[in-house]
């Protein structure tokens, strides 16, 4: 099987798809991603219909990601000790069982909000194992083609986000939410089946087995670009990762487009995410933390402009652009962290990354839901956009201070230069002035 990567036409040999096991991983992503989006739409809309309260949607979202915030570090340590393929299989099997139970409850008419909350919590616990394990799995399968693998992985997932909401709308409208949850169960079980075909997974080394959680945190602290990237992704996660809550309220109260409008916004966002994935895959130059700060500032500005959308169509256009920028930020951040991480500590480092990225959503989701109920989705979106802008500027200034850099207007352009260069230029100017006076 290992020799398959060297066969076939040149374009195939140079593709990540030629790597042993990656094609099975990608097909599993299509099954699992489709089920995820169908169940996500069904879950959010079901809670809205049962409670007529956006805050309950935020609570369910929080329960799905809160376990990462609490147990994420331990999940990363486990990923560095055991087979990451088997850990993802365990997580997906758990998701399949949970979705099956939820689907049967919905079909029999016994579904209650607390059932949804329990299921969300089970899925959240599965994510503790899956997130760091999946990140390490991609690195193992991709090798030197990590950037290409991350881009293609995102394209596959966002492709499911394109057709997943539409499929969810069709299933919910025709046969009910129960079958939507069962669709997610099928996706989970198919993922387990396909992962049995992935056999080229390296076993953890003794160094990895001896690793501690503290060692992972020290590795992050000692690698500044990893630390600052995680800070920036945290600002994004807390403020703009819960866009589906904004979409739900805009569809339900502002534009009155119903479940169809909610699904449409998610579909448009998925198209934008695919565009962002393609842009990220085409880029060959190394990503710098500076670019991530600039992109985050642009996203905050766009969120404020987006809040004034006069129609559903205009709002959809802004949702597309926001998704492009969001996916670029996510892929560039993930790639920068993985490429900068010590392979022996990658699971623990990625668990911290996932803990901040997804855990930030868990913390902010119920708060965001209450804020939306209190002041509306337009004002909430503008408020979050302003916070993101301030956060991007603040973090960028702190990075400049820690790296001894300053912004200077030189020859009609804004440039970033070392403080030592500023002092050297000032000294040179002083000497030149003294010479002219003499």
């Amino acid at each position: 099987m290992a020799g398959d990567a060297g066969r076939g036409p040149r374009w195939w040999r140079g593709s990540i798809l030629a790597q042993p096991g990656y094609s099975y991983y990608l097909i599993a992503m299509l099954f699992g991603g489709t089920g995820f989006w169908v169940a996500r739409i069904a879950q959010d809309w079901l809670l809205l219909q049962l409670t007529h309260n956006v805050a309950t949607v935020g609570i369910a979202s929080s329960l799905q990601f809160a376990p990462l915030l609490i147990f994420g570090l331990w999940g990363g340590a486990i990923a560095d000790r055991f087979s990451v393929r088997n850990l993802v299989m365990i997580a997906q099997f758990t998701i399949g069982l949970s979705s099956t139970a939820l689907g049967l409850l919905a079909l029999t008419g016994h579904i209650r909000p607390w059932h949804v909350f329990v299921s969300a919590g089970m899925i959240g616990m599965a994510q503790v194992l899956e997130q760091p394990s999946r990140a390490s799995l991609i690195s193992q399968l991709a090798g030197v083609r990590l950037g290409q693998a991350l881009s293609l992985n995102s394209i596959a997932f966002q492709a499911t986000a394109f057709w997943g909401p539409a499929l969810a709308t069709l299933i919910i409208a025709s046969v009910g939410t129960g079958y939507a949850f069962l669709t997610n169960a099928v996706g989970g079980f198919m993922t387990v089946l396909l992962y049995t075909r992935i056999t080229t997974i390296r076993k953890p080394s003794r160094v990895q087995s001896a690793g501690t959680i503290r060692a992972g945190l020290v590795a992050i602290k000692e690698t500044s670009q990893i630390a600052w990237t995680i800070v920036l992704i945290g600002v994004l996660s807390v403020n703009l990762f819960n866009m589906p809550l904004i979409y739900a309220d805009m569809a339900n109260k502002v534009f009155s487009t119903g479940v169809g409008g909610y699904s449409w916004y998610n579909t448009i966002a998925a198209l934008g995410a695919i565009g962002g994935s393609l842009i990220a895959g085409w880029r060959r130059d190394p990503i710098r933390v500076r670019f991530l700060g600039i992109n985050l500032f642009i996203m905050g500005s766009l969120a404020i402009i987006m809040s004034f959308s006069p129609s559903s169509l205009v709002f959809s256009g802004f949702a597309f652009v926001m998704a492009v920028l969001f996916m670029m930020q996510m892929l560039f951040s993930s790639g920068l962290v993985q490429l900068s991480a010590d392979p022996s500590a990658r699971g623990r480092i990625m668990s911290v990354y996932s803990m901040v990225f997804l855990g930030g959503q868990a913390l902010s989701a119920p708060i965001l839901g209450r804020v939306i109920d209190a002041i509306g989705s337009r004002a909430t979106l503008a408020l979050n956009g302003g916070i993101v802008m301030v956060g991007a500027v603040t973090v960028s200034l702190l990075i400049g201070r820690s790296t001894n850099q300053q912004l200077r207007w030189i020859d009609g352009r804004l440039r970033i230069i070392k403080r030592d260069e500023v002092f050297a230029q000032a000294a040179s100017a002083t000497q030149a002035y003294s010479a002219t006076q003499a």
Side-chain angles (χ1 to χ4, degrees):
M1 189 173 181
D4 292 345
R7 300 175 184 174
R10 181 177 300 177
W11 68 267
W12 174 263
R13 295 197 302 269
S15 169
I16 182 61
L17 293 173
Q19 294 294 103
Y22 189 81
S23 57
Y24 291 111
Y25 169 85
L26 201 62
I27 295 171
M29 171 63 73
L30 293 174
F31 274 103
T34 299
F36 168 81
W37 284 108
V38 170
R40 176 64 184 268
I41 297 297
Q43 172 186 287
D44 293 353
W45 201 252
L46 176 63
L47 284 173
L48 281 176
Q49 296 304 305
L50 290 175
T51 65
H52 305 286
N53 190 342
V54 179
T56 59
V57 179
I59 291 172
S61 179
S62 178
L63 288 171
Q64 280 186 305
F65 297 108
L68 266 175
L69 192 63
I70 302 172
F71 305 110
L73 290 174
W74 285 270
I78 292 172
D80 282 335
R81 286 177 169 84
F82 301 100
S83 168
V84 290
R85 183 201 67 168
N86 292 343
L87 292 176
V88 175
M89 291 172 66
I90 292 171
Q92 284 294 316
F93 188 76
T94 301
I95 291 172
L97 289 179
S98 174
S99 297
T100 299
L102 206 60
L104 293 176
L105 284 169
L107 288 176
T108 56
H110 295 96
I111 192 73
R112 297 293 183 271
W114 71 268
H115 294 142
V116 181
F117 296 151
V118 170
S119 176
M122 288 182 62
I123 292 175
M125 291 301 299
Q127 292 292 317
V128 171
L129 291 179
E130 181 172 3
Q131 289 298 323
S133 299
R134 186 180 290 275
S136 294
L137 176 61
I138 295 175
S139 298
Q140 291 182 17
L141 291 174
V144 297
R145 299 186 178 94
L146 179 59
Q148 188 181 125
L150 289 174
S151 178
L152 193 56
N153 175 75
S154 176
I155 291 173
F157 182 71
Q158 296 304 325
T160 64
F162 173 68
W163 63 62
L167 180 60
T169 303
L170 178 63
I171 293 174
I172 293 171
S174 57
V175 292
T177 55
Y179 286 100
F181 292 120
L182 291 179
T183 301
N184 191 32
V186 171
F189 295 141
M190 283 299 299
T191 297
V192 173
L193 180 63
L194 287 164
Y195 269 48
T196 61
R197 303 291 297 172
I198 301 177
T199 57
T200 56
I201 306 302
R202 298 193 300 272
K203 298 297 182 182
S205 67
R206 292 183 179 180
V207 175
Q208 289 174 311
S209 299
T212 63
I213 292 175
R214 182 181 179 184
L217 295 176
V218 170
I220 293 173
K221 182 180 179 181
E222 293 180 348
T223 311
S224 60
Q225 59 185 0
I226 293 180
W228 287 119
T229 299
I230 291 176
V231 172
L232 287 170
I233 208 68
V235 174
L236 174 64
S237 173
V238 170
N239 294 282
L240 292 180
F241 193 34
N242 286 298
M243 288 300 292
L245 295 181
I246 299 291
Y247 297 158
D249 191 72
M250 294 292 278
N252 195 37
K253 296 180 180 179
V254 178
F255 298 125
S256 301
T257 52
V259 66
Y262 178 51
S263 298
W264 169 250
Y265 300 147
N266 281 280
T267 300
I268 288 295
L271 280 176
I274 292 174
S277 301
L278 291 172
I279 294 173
W282 287 335
R283 186 182 176 100
R284 294 292 180 264
D285 298 332
I287 295 299
R288 297 183 178 183
V289 180
R290 180 192 312 166
F291 173 86
L292 300 178
I294 294 172
N295 192 59
L296 186 63
F297 182 85
I298 294 173
M299 292 179 68
S301 304
L302 181 63
I304 294 176
I305 299 172
M306 187 178 179
S307 68
F308 294 97
S309 297
S311 67
S312 178
L313 182 61
V314 174
F315 183 79
S316 300
F318 283 127
F320 176 86
V321 178
M322 179 67 78
V324 171
L325 298 175
F326 183 92
M327 187 52 57
M328 289 171 58
Q329 187 83 357
M330 189 175 76
L331 289 179
F332 287 148
S333 298
S334 178
L336 181 59
V337 170
Q338 291 199 49
L339 290 173
S340 303
D342 183 344
S344 65
R346 183 176 285 129
R348 281 158 287 169
I349 291 174
M350 291 308 298
S351 72
V352 175
Y353 177 87
S354 298
M355 183 176 68
V356 173
F357 184 48
L358 299 177
Q361 182 194 30
L363 285 176
S364 63
I367 299 173
L368 183 64
R370 291 189 178 279
V371 173
I372 291 174
D373 285 335
I375 64 176
S377 51
R378 289 186 184 273
T380 302
L381 185 57
L383 176 63
N384 284 3
I387 295 173
V388 167
M389 291 175 66
V390 173
V393 172
T394 302
V395 173
S396 297
L397 291 175
L398 290 173
I399 292 174
R401 183 177 181 180
S402 66
T403 56
N404 199 33
Q405 293 178 335
Q406 281 187 346
L407 281 174
R408 289 285 176 173
W409 192 266
I410 302 175
D411 297 331
R413 295 180 62 183
L414 193 63
R415 297 178 182 272
I416 299 176
I417 61 176
K418 294 286 187 179
R419 292 178 188 267
D420 295 341
E421 296 178 18
V422 176
F423 296 142
Q425 290 176 3
S428 178
T430 301
Q431 291 175 1
Y433 176 77
S434 298
T436 58
Q437 293 299 313

